[in-house]
Amino acid sequence: EPDVTIVSGLKNMEVFEGDDVTFRCQVSHENARDVEWKLQDVALQNNEMNEISVEKGKIHTLTLRKVTEQDIGTVTFRVGPHTSTA
């Protein structure tokens, strides 16, 4: 199994309350396993407020819907031992 690394990390984002925001992180290999998104150290699941997907096999995306002041904080993407934060 090849070691999956982060090719392009997360970027800091500023949005208005009520807007959606999307974070993207590109990894080196398709079908990466052991992937996790967190907001303020809380693991995120794919649901109506958090859309987690993979584009073109290597670009992992997290969309936070209708953000509120409570969503302010650090977003973390982790694949294996590698992490990126914004």
Side-chain angles (χ1 to χ4, degrees):
E1 180 111 354
D3 185 30
V4 178
T5 59
I6 295 173
V7 176
S8 174
L10 300 176
K11 305 218 176 353
N12 291 333
M13 305 289 278
E14 285 185 28
V15 293
F16 292 103
E17 195 167 17
D19 285 354
D20 296 349
V21 60
T22 300
F23 295 90
R24 287 182 177 80
C25 200
Q26 184 175 348
V27 298
S28 58
H29 294 79
E30 291 187 11
N31 304 320
R33 287 184 295 211
D34 194 21
V35 169
E36 182 178 52
W37 286 97
K38 288 184 176 181
L39 175 60
Q40 303 165 1
D41 280 334
V42 176
L44 299 176
Q45 304 298 320
N46 198 20
N47 59 37
E48 66 277 355
M49 297 307 293
N50 313 313
E51 183 183 320
I52 297 171
S53 62
V54 181
E55 299 171 1
K56 300 180 186 149
K58 296 182 182 179
I59 301 170
H60 292 256
T61 66
L62 165 67
T63 300
L64 302 176
R65 302 251 180 247
K66 297 181 177 58
V67 296
T68 67
E69 227 174 82
Q70 286 74 41
D71 295 319
I72 293 173
T74 301
V75 171
T76 305
F77 173 82
R78 179 185 63 75
V79 57
H82 308 285
T83 60
S84 178
T85 59

